[in-house]
C-alpha cells in the first residue's frame, strides 16, 4: 500500500457516501470493512450482548475523519467518534496549520502500567517495605509465571516499588506497585491478574494482610508526547497579526496554568480531541480521562495538561505529555468491528503509536480552542457548525437542515426558536410555490 496522504481538501463538501469512498481507498479497506462502515448497525446485537450485561441494543455516535495530520513525517488519517460539532473541523484545521510548519513530533515511554497491592496490619511498615524490596526478584518471577503470551511478546513485570502511607486514619499502609510492561494491551486485566497472583507471597513475606489488588489509573510511567512549532505567518488571520495571535495564545495558556476553573475547561478542550480517538478505537476512555486529570494535579494543584511557549525565532511552541493507557488488543479493541477498522484507517502498528496520535490530536484541539478564544471568540466557528444540530432540534430534515443552519449563521442568531421560525418560513415559502 502507498503511504497515506492525510490531506482532505474539500472533504466537507462531499456527501458522507463520497467521503467514505475516499477513506476506503486511502486506507486500503476491503469491501467487507467498507460495508461495515457503510452499515450504521455494524455492531450487531448478539456481539454487543457478549460485550456488556443486560444489553437491549446498541448506541451509535457519528464517526468523522480528521485530515492533515503528519506525525514524525508520516501522514495519518484520524477517525473520531464524537457527538460535539466543530471538534473534527477544529482538529483538521490546526493539523493543516501545523503541517505547513513541519507537522507533529511525537514520542513515548515504554508501555509500563502500575498495579497496586495494599498491605494492612503491619506495625513495622518501613521494615516490611525493605523486606519486600529485598525479595523483589521472587515477586517479579511469580508475577511473570502467569502470562506466557505477554512474556513471549517481550512484556511482563519489570520491577516493584513499595510505598509507605504512614498517616492514614486507618493506620499505616504498605502499598506495593508492580511495574508491568503490557506491550500493546491497555493492560488493566493483565496487571490485575498479576497483582492477585503475587498476593499470597506478599502476605507471607510481610506477615500482613493483602486487601486491594488493582491497577492504578495514574499511568505516570506510560506517557505519550507531542510537540508542535508554528510560525507567526500561519497564525495570521484577516483581523490579527500572527505575532499578536501568539501573544494572545500565551496569555490564554497562562490563565489555565494558574487557575483551576479555567484549567478544567482548557483540559476539557484537550480531551475533546483525545476522547473521540479513544472511543473510535474501542479503548477505555474512563481510564484515559482518570489518568489525565490525576496527572494534571501532579504538582499539587490542578493545571494545564499542555504547555505553550515561544522559541528563539518567536514561533509558538506547544507540547503535551500525559498518561496514555491505550491498547490495540484486549478490551473492546478486537471485539468491536469498527474499532479494528479505525485502527486500520490510522495505520498504527503499536499501542505507543496510537497513544502518540491521540496526544497529537489533543494538542491540535487545544490550539484550535485557544486560537479561537484568544481572537474572535469560540461562537463564530463552533456555533456555525452547531447550528445544524439546532436546526435538527427544530424539526428540519434533509436539505432544510443546511438551509436553516446557514440562515441562522448569517444572522449570528443560533437559537431553537429562531430555527422554528426560519423553518416555518421555509416550508410556507415552498407550499406557496
Ligand atoms: C470551527 C473552525 C475550524 C472553523 O474555522 P474557519 O476559519 O471557519 O475554517 P475554514 O473554513 O477556513 O477551514 C479551514 C480548515 O478547517 C477545517 N474545517 C473547517 N470547517 C469544516 C467543516 N465544516 N467540516 C470539515 N472541516 C472543516 C478544514 O480542514 C478546513 O480546510 P480544508 O480542508 O477545507 O482545506 C474554527 O473556528 C475552530 O477551530 N474553532 C474552534 C472550535 C472548537 O474548539 N470546538 C470545540 C468545541 S468548544 C469546547 O468544548 C472547548 C472549549 C472551547 O471550551 C475549550 C477551551 O475553552 O479551551
Ligand atoms: N481501572 C481500570 O481502568 C480497569 C479497566 N479494566 C478494563 O480492562 C480492559 C483492558 O485490559 P487488558 O489487560 O488490556 O485486556 P485483556 O486482558 O483483554 O488483554 C490483554 C492480554 O492480551 C494478550 N495479548 C495478545 N497480544 C498482545 C500484545 N501484542 N500485547 C499485549 N498483550 C497481548 C496478553 O495475554 P493473554 O493472551 O495470555 O491473555 C494480555 O495479557 C479494558 O476493557 C478496561 O476497560 C478492567 C479493570 C479495571
Amino acid at each position: 500500500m502507498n503511504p497515506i496522504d492525510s490531506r482532505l481538501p474539500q472533504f466537507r463538501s462531499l456527501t458522507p457516501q463520497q467521503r467514505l469512498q475516499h477513506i476506503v481507498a486511502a486506507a486500503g479497506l476491503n469491501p467487507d470493512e467498507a460495508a461495515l462502515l457503510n452499515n450504521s448497525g455494524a455492531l450487531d446485537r448478539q456481539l454487543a450482548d457478549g460485550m456488556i450485561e443486560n444489553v437491549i441494543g446498541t448506541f451509535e455516535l457519528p464517526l468523522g475523519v480528521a485530515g492533515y495530520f503528519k506525525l514524525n513525517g508520516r501522514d495519518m488519517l484520524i477517525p473520531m467518534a464524537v457527538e460535539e460539532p466543530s471538534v473534527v473541523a477544529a482538529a483538521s484545521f490546526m493539523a493543516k496549520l501545523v503541517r505547513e510548519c513541519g507537522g507533529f513530533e511525537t514520542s513515548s515511554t515504554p508501555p509500563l502500567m502500575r498495579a497496586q497491592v495494599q498491605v494492612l496490619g503491619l506495625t513495622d511498615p518501613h521494615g516490611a517495605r525493605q523486606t519486600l524490596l529485598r525479595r523483589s526478584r521472587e515477586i517479579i518471577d511469580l508475577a511473570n509465571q502467569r502470562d506466557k503470551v505477554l512474556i513471549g511478546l517481550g512484556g511482563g513485570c519489570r520491577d516493584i516499588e513499595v510505598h509507605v502511607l504512614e498517616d492514614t486514619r486507618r493506620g499505616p499502609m504498605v502499598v506495593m506497585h508492580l511495574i508491568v510492561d503490557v506491550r500493546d494491551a491497555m493492560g488493566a486485566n493483565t496487571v490485575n491478574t498479576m497483582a492477585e497472583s503475587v498476593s499470597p507471597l506478599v502476605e507471607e513475606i510481610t506477615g500482613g494482610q493483602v486487601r486491594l489488588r488493582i491497577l492504578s489509573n495514574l499511568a505516570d510511567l506510560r506517557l505519550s508526547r507531542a510537540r508542535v512549532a508554528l510560525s507567526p505567518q500561519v497564525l495570521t488571520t484577516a483581523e490579527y497579526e500572527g505575532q499578536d495571535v501568539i501573544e494572545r495564545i500565551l496569555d490564554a495558556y497562562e490563565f489555565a496554568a494558574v487557575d483551576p476553573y479555567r484549567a478544567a475547561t482548557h483540559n476539557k478542550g484537550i480531551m475533546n480531541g483525545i476522547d473521540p480517538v479513544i472511543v473510535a478505537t474501542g479503548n477505555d476512555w474512563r481510564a484515559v480521562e482518570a489518568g489525565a486529570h490525576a496527572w494534571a494535579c501532579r504538582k499539587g494543584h490542578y493545571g494545564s495538561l499542555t504547555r505553550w511557549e515561544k522559541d528563539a525565532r518567536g514561533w509558538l511552541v506547544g507540547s503535551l505529555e500525559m498518561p496514555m493507557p491505550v491498547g490495540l488488543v484486549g478490551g473492546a479493541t478486537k471485539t468491536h468491528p469498527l474499532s479494528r477498522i479505525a485502527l486500520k484507517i490510522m495505520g498504527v502498528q503499536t499501542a505507543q503509536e496510537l497513544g502518540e496520535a491521540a496526544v497529537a490530536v489533543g494538542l491540535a484541539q487545544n490550539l484550535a480552542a485557544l486560537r479561537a478564544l484568544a481572537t474572535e471568540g469560540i461562537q463564530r466557528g463552533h456555533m456555525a457548525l452547531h447550528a445544524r444540530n439546532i436546526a435538527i432540534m427544530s424539526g428540519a430534515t434533509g436539505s432544510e437542515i443546511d438551509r436553516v443552519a446557514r440562515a441562522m449563521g448569517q444572522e449570528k442568531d443560533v437559537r431553537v426558536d429562531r430555527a422554528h421560525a426560519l423553518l416555518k418560513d421555509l416550508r410556507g415559502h415552498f407550499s406557496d410555490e
Side-chain angles (χ1 to χ4, degrees):
M1 199 172 85
N2 292 328
I4 220 153
D5 179 355
S6 70
R7 288 170 298 177
L8 298 175
Q10 294 312 311
F11 200 58
R12 69 170 102 168
S13 8
L14 304 178
T15 63
Q17 196 59 35
Q18 290 167 326
R19 290 187 200 124
L20 175 61
Q21 277 165 11
H22 181 94
I23 298 297
V24 165
L29 303 183
N30 63 41
D32 289 344
E33 291 163 336
L36 277 178
L37 277 173
N38 197 25
N39 168 10
S40 54
L43 178 62
D44 78 39
R45 200 190 308 238
Q46 216 173 338
L47 189 52
D49 194 37
M51 291 171 71
I52 65 160
E53 310 73 40
N54 293 356
V55 166
I56 57 166
T58 57
F59 182 92
E60 292 180 41
L61 283 174
L63 180 68
V65 176
Y68 300 98
F69 277 82
K70 191 189 264 286
L71 273 63
N72 299 330
R74 185 164 75 86
D75 276 30
M76 192 184 280
L77 292 166
I78 308 284
M80 299 176 80
V82 65
E83 86 297 346
E84 190 174 3
S86 86
V87 165
V88 179
S92 302
F93 191 9
M94 292 306 111
K96 193 175 174 185
L97 298 189
V98 169
R99 182 185 186 91
E100 285 180 41
C101 301
F104 295 80
E105 288 169 8
T106 64
S107 63
S108 41
T109 62
L112 295 175
M113 296 293 284
R114 291 174 186 272
Q116 298 186 293
V117 178
Q118 179 198 31
V119 194
L120 303 176
L122 296 167
T123 50
D124 58 341
H126 291 280
R129 173 176 176 272
Q130 292 228 353
T131 317
L132 283 167
L133 288 171
R134 189 168 56 78
R135 295 184 61 181
S136 60
R137 192 68 257 163
E138 274 172 74
I139 297 169
I140 294 167
D141 288 346
L142 182 59
N144 282 337
Q145 271 177 23
R146 288 297 298 248
D147 202 333
K148 298 293 177 212
V149 173
L150 187 64
I151 306 296
L153 292 165
C157 184
R158 295 274 185 263
D159 204 355
I160 67 164
E161 283 177 15
V162 188
H163 302 247
V164 176
L165 309 180
E166 269 174 299
D167 297 323
T168 90
R169 287 180 301 178
R170 305 284 296 172
M173 294 176 189
V174 168
V175 182
M176 186 185 78
H177 290 194
L178 291 177
I179 311 294
V180 184
D181 183 328
V182 296
R183 297 285 87 199
D184 291 318
M186 180 271 187
N189 292 325
T190 311
V191 302
N192 291 345
T193 307
M194 285 187 184
E196 294 196 1
S197 72
V198 300
S199 292
L201 177 60
V202 170
E203 288 191 337
E204 184 194 314
I205 292 173
T206 59
Q209 300 135 34
V210 166
R211 216 39 93 62
L212 269 55
R213 296 147 293 165
I214 188 79
L215 100 156
S216 168
N217 282 112
L218 176 49
D220 60 351
L221 300 175
R222 193 179 192 179
L223 302 175
S224 297
R225 312 179 190 102
R227 175 188 179 277
V228 293
L230 294 111
S231 66
Q233 208 182 345
V234 300
L235 290 166
T236 300
T237 70
E239 289 87 30
Y240 301 89
E241 286 298 327
Q243 201 56 58
D244 183 26
V245 175
I246 291 177
E247 296 302 326
R248 286 163 175 266
I249 288 176
L250 292 175
D251 289 338
Y253 160 64
E254 197 57 27
F255 182 12
V258 301
D259 176 25
Y261 289 100
R262 172 59 203 149
T265 321
H266 176 98
N267 289 344
K268 187 272 181 184
I270 295 167
M271 301 315 288
N272 269 347
I274 293 175
D275 285 338
V277 179
I278 305 302
V279 173
T281 56
N283 272 283
D284 181 340
W285 71 91
R286 288 87 56 212
V288 172
E289 281 282 342
H293 299 291
W295 177 253
C297 286
R298 72 195 179 285
K299 293 189 178 140
H301 75 281
Y302 186 85
S304 165
L305 286 165
T306 50
R307 283 172 182 277
W308 293 96
E309 49 202 359
K310 209 165 46 168
D311 72 9
R313 299 168 294 177
W315 285 31
L316 180 69
V317 176
S319 53
L320 175 56
E321 179 182 49
M322 60 182 280
M324 198 44 68
V326 290
L328 305 185
V329 296
T333 55
K334 287 268 194 233
T335 38
H336 197 305
L338 292 189
S339 308
R340 292 199 301 270
I341 298 177
L343 289 168
K344 187 166 176 184
I345 291 172
M346 294 177 87
V348 292
Q349 305 299 329
T350 64
Q352 281 165 290
E353 280 181 65
L354 174 60
E356 290 174 26
V359 291
V361 184
L363 186 59
Q365 206 75 43
N366 183 224
L367 176 64
L370 293 183
R371 178 180 173 279
L373 288 167
T375 57
E376 61 175 354
I378 200 73
Q379 293 302 65
R380 200 252 333 147
H382 178 67
M383 287 311 271
L385 297 176
H386 184 51
R388 289 192 299 170
N389 270 342
I390 300 284
I392 293 169
M393 274 166 67
S394 76
T397 56
S399 64
E400 291 169 348
I401 298 171
D402 274 338
R403 297 173 83 133
V404 171
R406 210 174 311 119
M408 285 191 294
Q410 277 159 4
E411 293 175 359
K412 293 192 174 30
D413 188 9
V414 183
R415 289 178 298 114
V416 179
D417 55 347
R418 184 64 195 135
H420 272 301
L422 285 163
L423 186 62
K424 204 167 155 215
D425 283 355
L426 187 67
R427 288 180 176 169
H429 175 74
F430 281 116
S431 61
D432 293 346
E433 278 175 1

